[in-house]
Amino acid sequence: MQVSENKVVSFHYTLKDDAGEVLDSSEGRDPLTYLHGAGNIIPGLEKALEGKDAGDHVEVSVAPEEAYGNRNDALVQSVPRSAFEGVDEILPGMQFQAQTPNGVQILTVVKVEDDTVVVDGNHPLAGKTLHFSVDITDIRDATAEELAHGHAH
Ligand code: ZN
């Protein structure tokens, strides 16, 4: 069986940046499982896995356009410290979820000043070329319920 539309695919992965630093990995965890063709994973990786078999090893570099997009400087904003009510200490690198008209957005604290906090609404991996090393562990047909939901169970 090959990776194609409406298959549920499981794989182990290691994700590195241009410098070779590991950003994320499934090592020591269950493999990542997704419904192929449903946009559950970034487009560049989904394309690279198309047609592969269980047991295949795949190395792929994905440009930002096919991953988390390019950085948008307009998403770096100063917000009043009072917006973080109930948070005792705010430090650079901390991440918060914010409800926006476009859904939940992750904000990363860049800088803390007296009364303001500079936050970056870009996805932490925006603007990065992502280097994936993937081992496909399992491929199966999706169930009717999974197809209806648009994700793997
Ligand atoms: Zn579901």
Side-chain angles (χ1 to χ4, degrees), residues 145 149 151-153:
E145 194 185 25
H149 287 198
H151 57 235
H153 284 158

Side-chain angles (χ1 to χ4, degrees), residues 35-135:
L35 174 61
H36 191 81
N40 293 167
I41 61 173
I42 58 169
L45 185 56
E46 194 161 43
K47 273 182 209 166
L49 297 182
E50 177 84 30
K52 302 294 191 225
D53 290 293
D56 278 0
H57 178 78
V58 181
E59 298 271 345
V60 60
S61 294
V62 181
E65 293 77 14
E66 293 280 281
Y68 293 96
N70 287 303
R71 284 187 51 82
N72 177 0
D73 288 338
L75 294 178
V76 179
Q77 291 177 310
S78 288
V79 297
R81 173 74 175 77
S82 59
F84 296 85
E85 204 178 334
V87 183
D88 290 336
E89 195 175 24
I90 302 174
L91 298 170
M94 286 175 81
Q95 294 185 327
F96 295 88
Q97 290 194 345
Q99 202 61 244
T100 75
N102 300 319
V104 175
Q105 191 183 21
I106 295 174
L107 300 176
T108 305
V109 174
V110 180
K111 196 160 64 168
V112 182
E113 291 159 346
D114 288 343
D115 294 325
T116 58
V117 178
V118 180
V119 294
D120 185 349
N122 286 286
H123 188 283
L125 297 178
K128 293 191 177 175
T129 297
L130 305 179
H131 305 274
F132 286 95
S133 177
V134 171
D135 287 290

